[in-house]
Amino acid sequence: MSSSSATLPGDPPGGRRAIAVWGIGVSVYFVAVIFRTSLGVAGLDAADRFHVNASALSTFSILQLLVYAGMQIPVGLLVDRLGTKKVLALGTVLFTAGQLGFAFSPTYGTALASRALLGCGDAMTFISVLRLGSRWFPVRRGPLVAQLAGLVGMAGNLVSTLVLARLLHAVGWTPAFAGSAVAGVVVLVLMLLFLKDHPEGHEPEPFPHQGAAYVRRQIAASWREPGTRLGLWVHFTTQFPAMVFLLLWGLPFLVRAQGLSRATAGELLTLVVLSNMVVGLVYGQIVARHHTARLPLALGTVGATALMWAVTLAYPGEHAPMWLLVTLCTVLGACGPASMIGFDFARPANPPERQGTASGITNMGGFVASMTTLFLIGVLLDATGDDYTIAFSSVFVLQALGVSQILRLRRRVARRERERLVASRVETVHVPA
């Protein structure tokens, strides 16, 4: 099925104004990702600064992701209830305070609290940006706009690997993290001055909110849709291998297990990000034109990721050759774009008033998987004396779980989408000219 249909009645107009407003919103997400991934280039420094082992080091990212994942449904409800601007503003204040607190943390405990605060603010950004895109752009642009948002997020990751890493080693821990926090203040000011939730004339229909009853209805109705559940499992299965690699364990794996210098390891992390950006553009165009390509792209990415990890971990030499590590990092770059496909299952399955809630449920998937894998790798490294082959094999367990759920739900989702398509055609036929 192609999505190149004409603009639907009531669709937002898009255009330059939409790009400008959406650009402000996505710049907030850009900064949030810089802060989120800053620990990925500072993991070894953090271990030295706070005198912690692998399990304690992984707790930084686990706690951050635990807060992030736990906030997804509440944030989705808040976005549906309050709109994008208010939620983004609160998120920006929180993740900026978290980054600033991390800069000055004197102890492991205060540093953990700062990462939790950062995760709370970060959790409010991506769902808000998805909602902003759906309010300002036509429906047919949804897959491409979502992939572009993910691409901008990966650009934030690129800033971490290229700029923040160098700044950290040039000026030290506190100046690097405190200096980066200024970016949060800048985007907050831009957002407060120029961001609007929706274009004029496209205000959402008022929707009654009745406390706990409303919350239960929103969550239950979103979860009943097979498309929401399939979206969650697609996100769960595709995102976490690259997230774990970039967020914490990639640099130690490349330096300690593969014997690379920090500079070379940093270049490989950069390759993951660059690959993500290129693949994101390709996947966005394919899905926007051919919705039937969604599941093959997602499962193909999972298969390619599993294959490259298996070959890398099973390589008989002491260290995997550079060509193999380059190939692994290139394939890992497809994980982020593939995870965005999850939203392309959840979005059409839910009406506009449930978009935030459904996106929150979907977005939990990859972060729950990432949090689980971060924990398993840290525990296995400590238990095996830093055996990265055993530790990273935990990736396959979560991939197997996710694929089994995707295969279980796929036919039910396809049937529901065919029913909605038939219903929309019937409605179109009965609309008077």
Side-chain angles (χ1 to χ4, degrees), residues 30-289:
F30 171 77
V31 174
V33 173
I34 294 176
F35 293 179
R36 177 201 303 170
T37 58
S38 58
L39 186 61
V41 297
L44 297 177
D45 300 85
D48 293 337
R49 179 179 176 88
F50 299 113
H51 310 292
V52 294
N53 61 13
S55 296
L57 181 61
S58 67
T59 303
F60 277 123
S61 296
I62 291 169
L63 178 62
Q64 184 180 333
L65 293 184
L66 178 63
V67 172
Y68 187 106
M71 287 288 294
Q72 289 310 291
I73 292 178
V75 168
L77 291 164
L78 280 175
V79 171
D80 287 337
R81 177 71 175 88
L82 301 177
T84 299
K85 186 170 184 174
K86 292 178 181 178
V87 177
L88 267 183
L90 177 59
T92 305
V93 170
L94 292 176
F95 69 63
T96 302
Q99 185 78 341
L100 197 60
F102 197 57
F104 293 99
S105 292
T107 65
Y108 178 68
T110 55
L112 274 179
S114 297
R115 295 307 286 188
L117 188 63
L118 193 157
C120 186
D122 182 20
M124 299 182 178
T125 58
F126 187 65
I127 293 175
S128 298
V129 169
L130 287 180
R131 170 67 173 261
L132 194 67
S134 69
R135 292 296 188 191
W136 280 90
F137 293 96
V139 171
R140 70 183 189 277
R141 300 294 185 192
L144 182 58
V145 170
Q147 287 287 357
L148 288 173
L151 186 151
V152 172
M154 290 309 297
N157 203 325
L158 194 63
V159 170
S160 289
T161 56
L162 291 180
V163 179
L164 190 59
R166 294 180 182 178
L167 192 63
L168 181 65
H169 296 117
V171 301
W173 181 280
T174 299
F177 280 99
S180 67
V182 174
V185 178
V186 173
V187 294
L188 177 62
V189 171
L190 288 174
M191 180 179 51
L192 293 176
L193 291 177
F194 301 112
L195 189 75
K196 289 190 65 177
D197 281 357
H198 47 74
E200 294 179 7
H202 290 270
E203 292 82 0
E205 290 290 329
F207 192 76
H209 301 283
Q210 301 173 352
Y214 160 75
V215 171
R216 287 195 298 271
R217 282 199 307 271
Q218 286 286 89
I219 296 174
S222 297
W223 185 255
R224 277 196 301 267
E225 287 292 341
T228 304
R229 300 198 300 276
L230 180 58
L232 179 147
W233 284 109
V234 167
H235 200 269
F236 177 101
T237 314
T238 53
Q239 187 202 45
F240 79 93
M243 175 70 74
V244 167
F245 198 79
L246 290 171
L247 200 60
L248 183 62
W249 292 120
L251 189 70
F253 169 75
L254 294 171
V255 173
R256 291 176 176 169
Q258 299 302 322
L260 302 180
S261 67
R262 283 199 182 201
T264 304
E267 290 171 358
L268 287 174
L269 293 180
T270 302
L271 176 61
V272 178
V273 178
L274 293 175
S275 173
N276 182 297
M277 297 171 75
V278 173
V279 174
L281 290 175
V282 175
Y283 279 17
Q285 292 287 354
I286 293 174
V287 173
R289 289 181 169 88

Side-chain angles (χ1 to χ4, degrees), residues 245-367:
F245 198 79
L246 290 171
L247 200 60
L248 183 62
W249 292 120
L251 189 70
F253 169 75
L254 294 171
V255 173
R256 291 176 176 169
Q258 299 302 322
L260 302 180
S261 67
R262 283 199 182 201
T264 304
E267 290 171 358
L268 287 174
L269 293 180
T270 302
L271 176 61
V272 178
V273 178
L274 293 175
S275 173
N276 182 297
M277 297 171 75
V278 173
V279 174
L281 290 175
V282 175
Y283 279 17
Q285 292 287 354
I286 293 174
V287 173
R289 289 181 169 88
H290 308 285
H291 261 31
T292 53
R294 291 171 298 172
L295 211 51
L297 284 176
L299 291 175
T301 301
V302 174
T305 305
L307 175 63
M308 291 314 305
W309 266 120
V311 173
T312 302
L313 296 176
Y315 190 79
E318 183 180 358
H319 302 307
M322 181 57 67
W323 67 264
L324 183 54
L325 295 176
V326 167
T327 306
L328 171 66
C329 290
T330 303
V331 171
L332 285 175
C335 291
S339 73
M340 299 300 298
I341 295 172
F343 297 101
D344 293 318
F345 286 106
R347 188 185 305 112
N350 292 273
E353 65 269 16
R354 288 207 309 263
Q355 290 293 315
T357 306
S359 295
I361 293 172
T362 299
N363 207 30
M364 284 178 62
F367 290 92

